[in-house]
């Protein structure tokens, strides 16, 4: 598929989304900031395009599938046990023809069962402690990830027939501090507003929102999950993934830990990245929320190497997408 679609990476989806927007929808400063980050992360976005193409190409392929109860082939022990009375009679006659006690391997097409929708939420710390270096790292991470997901969605639309079903990827962005607000909503890309929301997710990150109360934001996301969504999450029709980026630890760790457990209980994948220099108390609090008592560690401490945030975020995203498309 990657060979067939070698020109796909040069299509409209790989270009700056500012081309899709009304020239008057952004002020010059915002446009410059967005252009800087989209250009800065272009090489990583190009690498993600290769990943998406391979992921879709691998989602449907011919695989070797074992078929039991064949009339010829290698003896299958389970089948022999199930059909032993027939085998016993055949042994008396010396005729084993047509006994379904063998197995063989046939190459047949297998289509993965894919979700109908994948929803990815980014929950970003916009508290006063987010300095310029941390904001820069978060903007880079958001830029490459949000734009890459747009590329992925376009590839999925173009390859629906190959996957034998429609798969849609939606993303949203939340900022939290003392309060929280939704910058980019989960919605189909039907207007230029969605592109503008991507830009705002990057340029509006400014560390002007006070404390670090992520609990209320995560709880809002949890409360917005409908009964139908919960059923679809159980059956695999819907996949939800939440990525939180913070430079410290929650102001209300007990409440945050409770809502993280609630989200995990609904089959939602939740991860957090802690960036910047933190005290031992802050790191312990982060571990208490995101790692202690959980089957799988959900908290990733990046520390002072904040420039590695985009790479770490993309790696976790890739791991999750591989699980979805190659299960």
């Amino acid at each position: 598929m990657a060979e067939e679609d070698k020109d796909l990476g040069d299509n409209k989806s790989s270009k700056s989304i500012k081309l899709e927007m009304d020239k008057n929808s952004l002020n010059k400063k915002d446009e410059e900031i967005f252009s800087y980050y989209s250009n800065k992360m272009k090489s990583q976005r190009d690498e993600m395009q290769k990943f998406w193409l391979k992921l879709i190409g691998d989602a449907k392929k011919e695989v070797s599938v074992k078929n039991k109860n064949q009339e010829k082939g290698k003896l299958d022990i389970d089948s022999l046990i199930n059909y032993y009375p027939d085998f016993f009679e055949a042994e008396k006659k010396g005729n084993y023809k047509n006994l379904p006690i063998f197995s063989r391997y046939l190459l047949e097409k297998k289509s993965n069962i894919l979700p109908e929708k994948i929803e990815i939420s980014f929950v970003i710390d916009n508290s006063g402690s987010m300095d310029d270096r941390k904001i820069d790292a978060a903007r880079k991470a958001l830029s490459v990830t949000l734009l890459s997901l747009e590329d992925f969605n376009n590839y999925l639309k173009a390859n629906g027939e190959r996957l034998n079903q429609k798969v849609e990827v939606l993303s949203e962005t939340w900022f939290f501090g003392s309060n929280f607000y939704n910058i980019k909503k989960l919605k189909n890309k039907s207007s230029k507003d969605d592109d503008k929301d991507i830009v705002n997710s990057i340029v509006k990150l400014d560390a002007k929102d006070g404390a670090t109360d992520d609990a209320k934001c995560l709880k809002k996301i949890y409360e917005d999950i409908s009964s139908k969504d919960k059923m679809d999450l159980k059956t695999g029709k819907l996949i939800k993934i939440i990525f939180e980026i913070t430079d410290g630890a929650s102001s209300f760790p007990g409440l945050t830990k409770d809502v993280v457990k609630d989200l995990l209980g609904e089959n939602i994948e939740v991860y957090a990245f802690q960036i910047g220099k933190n005290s031992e108390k802050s790191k312990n609090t982060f571990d208490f929320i995101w790692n202690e008592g959980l089957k799988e560690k959900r908290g990733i401490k990046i520390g002072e190497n904040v420039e590695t945030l985009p790479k770490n975020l993309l790696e976790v995203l890739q791991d999750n997408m591989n699980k979805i498309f190659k299960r």
Side-chain angles (χ1 to χ4, degrees):
M1 175 192 155
E3 179 62 27
E4 291 174 10
D5 295 335
K6 60 185 178 182
D7 295 326
L8 192 57
D10 296 326
N11 71 5
K12 201 175 188 180
S13 69
S14 67
K15 297 178 182 179
S16 173
I17 64 171
K18 70 179 181 180
L19 300 178
E20 298 291 321
M21 296 185 295
D22 187 333
K23 292 180 180 179
N24 297 319
S25 63
L26 292 174
N27 62 48
K28 186 176 181 180
K29 182 180 178 182
D30 286 350
E31 187 174 353
E32 288 174 351
I33 292 172
F34 172 74
S35 294
Y36 170 80
Y37 283 102
S38 60
N39 291 330
K40 193 78 173 175
M41 305 307 293
K42 185 180 182 304
S43 61
Q44 289 89 334
R45 184 181 176 186
D46 290 344
E47 286 301 311
M48 284 299 294
Q49 287 178 345
K50 296 176 185 176
F51 171 79
W52 299 134
L53 287 171
K54 187 175 187 306
L55 187 71
I56 296 172
D58 288 345
K60 183 183 177 183
K61 59 169 61 174
E62 288 190 344
V63 295
S64 184
V65 179
K66 185 177 182 181
N67 290 298
K68 292 185 177 182
N69 300 335
Q70 302 297 317
E71 294 178 1
K72 59 182 179 178
K74 186 178 179 181
L75 186 67
D76 181 77
I77 300 302
D78 290 337
S79 297
L80 175 61
I81 293 171
N82 291 333
Y83 290 93
Y84 187 75
D86 295 332
F87 174 77
F88 184 74
E89 290 298 320
E91 193 174 38
K92 289 181 180 179
K93 299 175 183 177
N95 183 2
Y96 301 94
K97 188 178 180 181
N98 299 327
L99 275 180
I101 60 173
F102 302 98
S103 66
R104 58 178 173 164
Y105 287 87
L106 297 176
L107 192 66
E108 65 180 31
K109 286 189 176 181
K110 174 188 174 184
S111 297
N112 290 345
I113 300 174
L114 300 174
E116 295 175 2
K117 188 184 293 184
I118 302 170
E119 297 179 348
I120 302 178
S121 304
F122 298 92
V123 179
I124 312 300
D125 189 344
N126 199 36
S127 63
S129 58
M130 287 283 286
D131 60 29
D132 290 345
R133 189 163 170 250
K134 297 170 189 174
I135 289 175
D136 180 64
R139 282 176 169 175
K140 287 176 179 175
L142 276 174
S143 173
V144 67
T145 312
L146 288 172
L147 293 175
S148 291
L149 289 173
E150 289 294 302
D151 295 337
F152 186 35
N153 213 19
N154 289 334
Y155 296 165
L156 287 170
K157 288 177 183 177
N159 291 280
E161 291 184 3
R162 285 178 177 151
L163 297 173
N164 289 326
Q165 70 173 90
K166 178 184 176 182
V167 183
E168 186 177 36
V169 179
L170 303 178
S171 63
E172 66 175 352
T173 310
W174 296 79
F175 286 0
F176 70 88
S178 298
N179 294 302
F180 64 90
Y181 43 98
N182 193 190
I183 299 292
K184 181 183 184 300
K185 300 184 184 300
L186 285 171
K187 60 183 178 182
N188 296 317
K189 187 174 180 179
S190 56
S191 71
K192 297 174 183 177
D193 288 340
D194 194 60
D195 287 341
K196 184 177 180 180
D197 290 343
I198 291 178
V199 175
N200 284 333
S201 297
I202 297 161
V203 303
K204 301 301 181 186
L205 191 62
D206 55 15
K208 293 182 179 179
D209 289 327
T212 310
D213 186 2
D214 55 350
K216 286 190 290 189
C217 185
L218 292 171
K219 187 176 182 181
K220 173 62 176 172
I221 294 174
Y222 175 72
E223 290 174 345
D224 284 347
I225 303 170
S226 66
S227 298
K228 182 181 183 303
D229 288 341
K230 291 181 180 180
M231 184 61 67
D232 288 346
L233 284 163
K234 286 183 180 179
T235 61
K237 287 184 178 180
L238 171 65
I239 300 290
K240 286 183 74 69
I241 308 172
I242 300 173
F243 296 112
E244 177 175 319
I245 297 172
T246 181
D247 75 330
S250 174
S251 301
F252 304 97
L255 295 176
T256 304
K257 188 173 183 66
D258 286 344
V259 72
V260 168
K261 286 184 177 180
D262 289 339
L263 290 164
L264 291 171
E266 297 296 343
N267 299 310
I268 298 171
E269 299 293 333
V270 193
Y271 302 91
F273 300 84
Q274 188 185 52
I275 60 174
K277 185 177 181 179
N278 280 276
S279 65
E280 285 303 314
K281 181 180 178 181
S282 181
K283 288 188 279 189
N284 289 339
T285 301
F286 182 81
D287 275 331
F288 165 73
I289 297 168
W290 297 100
N291 294 325
E292 287 183 16
L294 301 179
K295 293 180 180 179
E296 176 187 338
K297 288 188 175 183
R298 301 285 170 167
I300 298 138
K301 294 192 290 292
I302 292 177
E304 295 184 73
N305 296 320
V306 295
E307 64 279 355
T308 66
L309 175 63
K311 178 177 179 290
N312 279 272
L313 177 57
L314 290 176
E315 285 177 351
V316 178
L317 176 62
Q318 288 177 344
D319 286 344
N320 277 267
M321 288 299 180
N322 276 323
K323 290 176 185 176
I324 295 167
F325 281 80
K326 297 182 180 180
R327 59 184 175 178

